[in-house]
């Protein structure tokens, strides 16, 4: 059984998709997508040898080697043109790392129609990358599992403009304002206020002043919702 988090990610894969799961670790997601008949074919990419080997073993043990190709590669370089990958999944990492994987392997996205990103934090970096690279947000989700809050961002090609709050909190998540969403931003507000208070007693160097300004701005923005 998949975790609720990965099951939610899988729900955004369209039937018949050819999927590349980048940073696949045990290859649980591609195996699930093939076993349930949702995906046609999958590539599991891993940059670290240990997880790569466990992905290979897992795929072999499940008898899925024909449908799931495991490759040791950095980011999107696990994708080869002949794979005809149309869906990229990058899950379980920080948003900054996900955005940098997308940025450095951009040329591998030519045949890709949908990106499903699941950042553990800093989802904003992914939304910013999307805007600068002509992808638009077509759906989002937020969920809590084992006390941790996760976001999912679905991107398709398109041009959109988002305001500062959309980029920070997510246009679809803002519109739905779920209980988990409120909990996430309440947690952030508490943390930002704590940092702000601790900075009040610090020497007012330029860096401290800038950080305080940024925090106040974020508190004001998020405070509105
Ligand atoms: N995607 C799985 C999930 O959501 O459960 C595994 C998440 S695991 C925390 C992150 C995985 O990404 C690790 O196995 C790590 O080795 C891999 N990873 C990190 N940077 C990567 C990169 N640039 N290219 C490929 N894999 C990467």
């Amino acid at each position: 059984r998949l975790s609720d988090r990965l099951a939610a990610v899988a729900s955004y894969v369209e039937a018949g998709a050819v999927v590349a799961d980048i940073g696949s670790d045990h290859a649980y997601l591609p195996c699930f997508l093939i076993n349930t008949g949702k995906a046609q074919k999958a590539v599991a990419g891993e940059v670290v040898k240990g997880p790569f080997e466990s992905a290979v073993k897992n795929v072999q043990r499940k008898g899925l080697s024909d449908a799931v190709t495991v490759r040791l590669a950095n980011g999107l370089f696990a994708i080869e043109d002949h794979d005809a990958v149309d869906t990229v999944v990058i899950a379980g990492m920080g948003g900054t790392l996900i955005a940098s994987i997308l940025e450095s392997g951009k040329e591998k996205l030519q045949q890709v129609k949908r990106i499903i990103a699941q950042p553990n934090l800093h989802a904003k970096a992914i939304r910013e990358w999307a805007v600068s690279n002509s992808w638009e947000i077509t759906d989002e989700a937020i969920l809590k599992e084992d006390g941790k809050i996760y976001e999912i961002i679905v991107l398709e090609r398109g041009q959109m403009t988002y305001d500062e709050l959309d980029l920070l909190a997510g246009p679809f998540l803002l519109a739905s304002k779920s209980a988990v969403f409120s909990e996430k931003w309440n947690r952030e507000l508490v943390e930002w206020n704590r940092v702000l208070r601790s900075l009040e007693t610090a020497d007012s160097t330029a860096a401290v002043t800038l950080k305080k300004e940024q925090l106040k701005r974020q508190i004001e923005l998020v405070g509105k919702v």
Side-chain angles (χ1 to χ4, degrees), residues 143-206:
L143 72 139
K144 188 170 154 185
E145 186 172 43
D146 299 331
K148 294 204 183 99
I149 295 176
Y150 304 101
E151 289 182 37
I152 299 172
I153 303 175
V154 183
L155 304 175
E156 288 179 14
R157 290 182 192 276
Q159 221 102 43
M160 271 289 275
T161 51
Y162 301 103
D163 64 23
E164 210 181 342
L165 187 58
D166 283 337
L167 288 173
L168 184 66
F172 285 83
L173 300 179
L174 273 164
S176 71
K177 284 203 185 92
S178 68
V180 178
F181 176 83
S182 303
E183 185 182 338
K184 176 195 162 87
W185 292 108
N186 279 323
R187 282 187 194 180
E188 294 283 3
L189 280 174
V190 168
E191 175 61 15
W192 292 339
N193 278 309
R194 191 191 61 76
V195 176
L196 191 60
R197 272 196 310 276
S198 74
L199 287 177
E200 298 297 352
T201 57
D203 291 342
S204 49
T205 60

Side-chain angles (χ1 to χ4, degrees), residues 3 5-6 9 21-30 45-52 54 71-78 89-94 97-98 100-101 104 118 120:
S3 60
R5 175 183 62 83
L6 280 180
V9 169
D21 181 33
I22 305 301
S24 196
D25 201 354
H26 298 84
Y28 290 147
L29 183 74
E46 249 302 329
V47 77
V48 177
K49 205 133 185 256
F52 163 75
S54 78
R71 294 200 185 109
L72 184 65
N74 186 4
L76 300 181
F77 296 97
V89 174
I90 313 181
M93 304 173 213
L97 177 57
I98 294 177
S100 84
I101 288 175
S104 56
Q118 186 275 294
N120 296 340

